[in-house]
Amino acid sequence: MFHYNNQTASEIGVDFSKNAIRGLLLCGPPGTGKAYLAQVDANEAQVPFAYASAPSFQNMFFGVGNLKVMGLYKKARKLAKVYGACIIFIDEIDAIGMSRGAGSAGGGLGGLMGMGGSGLLNELLLQMDPPNMDNNGFAKLLRSLRLRKKKAERLAVLTIGATNLPDVLDTALLRPGRFDRKLWVDAPDYDGRVDIFQYYLEKVTRDPELTPERVALDTIGYSPAQIKHIVNESVVIAHQRGASVTKYEDFRAAMETYEWGLKQPLRSMSEDERRNVAYHEAGHAVAQFLLKPQERLWKVTIIRRGDALGLAATKPTHDRYNRSDSEMLAEIRVCLAARAVEEEFLGKKLNGVNSDLRQATQLAGAYLGAVGMGEELFSWLAIGSPEEGLKALRPKINELLNNEMNKVKKLVTKHSDFVHAIATQLLKRGDLTGEEIEAIYLGLYGEKRPAAQDAMIHREIFSSLSEAASAKEMVDKAELDS
């Protein structure tokens, strides 16, 4: 990772032995392989590797944690003298490296009892960037007798820290000379997931349809640890059904169990309540299918999983890193589609939309008050209080939600046959896959799912006449240019 060619460096007048990088901070979500990356780096450099968990330094007796840190770095320097360098990896470094201004982290009973506090952090800061002092007693004796003239040797000890919360770390840890570099270890992209699946699936007796390329598309956003877990769970599911070969259906079942929880059917639910849930989820499914062409419908179910009586889920068609205004509005309509179907098809309002309305309100607030997609460029992020921003924008948020509700009502009414067909099949079978829903749409309308909408169709998303007029000019100009 940070290995240098000293011969090349000397040609340009740089001595990396005296100016070696002292620290590297690995940041990223859990399970992305930060500890494994540090271990691989030590193996590549052919130097000793020491692993320590930051919480293990904490102790109920004052000063014990400091001694542990001192002992770790003392041993690392001895090894560095023998092997040329040594790498120390400290996992969950935020446990002892939190900012000293963050409440009780700087003292109090926890600091006095050795549970961390500024004392342990100060010791870590000192050991990571120590003063130039001799490391053994004989050298110190020669120095005191003025018989040792050369500068004290600075041994190459690289500290690699890992954390999920880099923002809470003390600024003294992040300065040059301690954590000189910061590396973000994120979830793997498509190519990375294919490589990881190839490694794990080689160990599994699997059906030819269970390919790394196929499952890599299903696991966008998954970490390597999650991928390993899903592969193992799919093998368990295959074993439970008495099969010797793991199929794609087993992998899919493992993903659904991991993301949503185990199936827990409610046998006592009345037919009327099942019908309510079926139409509720059918509303979401129709809106997702027609309004989100950049995503594929994964599954719709009215079988309870976790605390949800039913759900309609989509998966991205590819790795994505941003969203447009039209996509945010489409997401709001998807949230409101269940209430629209309840009013238009059932003639009543149900209490199952509380999470839908909350999400729609948050999206509308972000649309208007965070990312500047409305008439104003004001962002509540500047004042650091989304709650105050939501209160200030409440009239505009409510207006936007009502406009989107009217649009999604027209959508589900226009495709009433589609809504009824999905709800009927859900009542019969309990759940439907995205492929089965696409087959229903093809049977009803004789065509496949609508492709991604272009700028001309998106004229309807604008909430003001001025925005619509400017959009029309943009589209007309594009038509003339083409």
Side-chain angles (χ1 to χ4, degrees), residues 86-292:
C86 183
I87 293 178
I88 297 175
F89 177 73
I90 303 178
D91 203 3
E92 307 295 344
I93 197 169
D94 49 274
I96 61 173
M98 291 184 66
S99 175
R100 285 165 287 190
S104 61
L109 184 60
L112 292 175
M113 296 301 292
M115 296 302 291
S118 60
L120 186 53
L121 174 58
N122 289 339
E123 184 64 43
L124 178 63
L125 296 175
L126 176 63
Q127 294 298 329
M128 287 184 67
D129 188 22
N132 288 331
M133 298 177 61
D134 295 305
N135 294 309
N136 61 74
F138 183 70
K140 291 179 180 178
L141 177 62
L142 293 178
R143 182 80 64 186
S144 65
L145 297 175
R146 297 186 179 182
L147 298 176
R148 187 178 177 89
K149 302 294 184 179
K150 69 176 184 178
K151 189 177 180 180
E153 185 180 6
R154 187 84 179 268
L155 298 173
V157 176
L158 173 65
T159 303
I160 300 180
T163 179
N164 308 325
L165 305 168
D167 296 334
V168 305
L169 295 180
D170 195 272
T171 54
L173 265 178
L174 304 177
R175 74 152 173 83
R178 293 198 175 106
F179 283 125
D180 302 274
R181 302 287 189 273
K182 184 186 292 185
L183 180 65
W184 189 265
V185 185
D186 211 342
D189 59 7
Y190 173 76
D191 294 329
R193 292 192 302 275
V194 169
D195 292 339
I196 296 169
F197 273 116
Q198 283 178 341
Y199 174 76
Y200 287 117
L201 290 177
E202 283 179 355
K203 306 176 182 181
V204 176
T205 304
R206 56 187 172 92
D207 187 83
E209 292 185 357
L210 184 59
T211 64
E213 292 77 15
R214 183 177 185 183
V215 294
L217 286 174
D218 295 336
T219 51
I220 293 174
Y222 272 53
S223 69
Q226 291 171 316
I227 290 173
K228 179 182 178 181
H229 172 75
I230 295 300
V231 173
N232 291 338
E233 285 296 306
S234 62
V235 175
V236 171
I237 291 173
H239 176 72
Q240 288 174 343
R241 64 180 178 84
S244 58
V245 176
T246 303
K247 294 186 175 182
Y248 176 73
E249 289 73 17
D250 301 318
F251 179 85
R252 184 168 180 143
M255 279 189 62
E256 293 171 0
T257 302
Y258 171 72
E259 293 185 7
W260 309 327
L262 293 169
K263 287 185 178 182
Q264 295 175 288
L266 292 173
R267 292 178 292 180
S268 61
M269 181 180 287
S270 67
E271 287 301 317
D272 182 62
E273 288 180 314
R274 288 187 76 244
R275 184 171 179 269
N276 292 341
V277 177
Y279 273 90
H280 178 104
E281 301 304 337
H284 284 311
V286 168
Q288 289 169 339
F289 188 83
L290 297 174
L291 297 176
K292 300 174 72 174

Side-chain angles (χ1 to χ4, degrees), residues 289 415 417-418 437-450:
F289 188 83
H415 296 85
D417 293 341
F418 195 23
I437 290 177
E438 186 150 2
I440 292 174
Y441 184 85
L442 182 61
L444 288 173
Y445 302 102
E447 59 183 10
K448 292 185 177 181
R449 179 186 186 185

Side-chain angles (χ1 to χ4, degrees), residues 291 324-331 333 367 373 458 461:
L291 297 176
S324 66
D325 53 352
S326 61
E327 290 170 348
M328 288 190 69
L329 291 174
E331 188 66 41
R333 290 183 223 171
Y367 180 90
M373 292 181 175
H458 281 156
I461 70 172

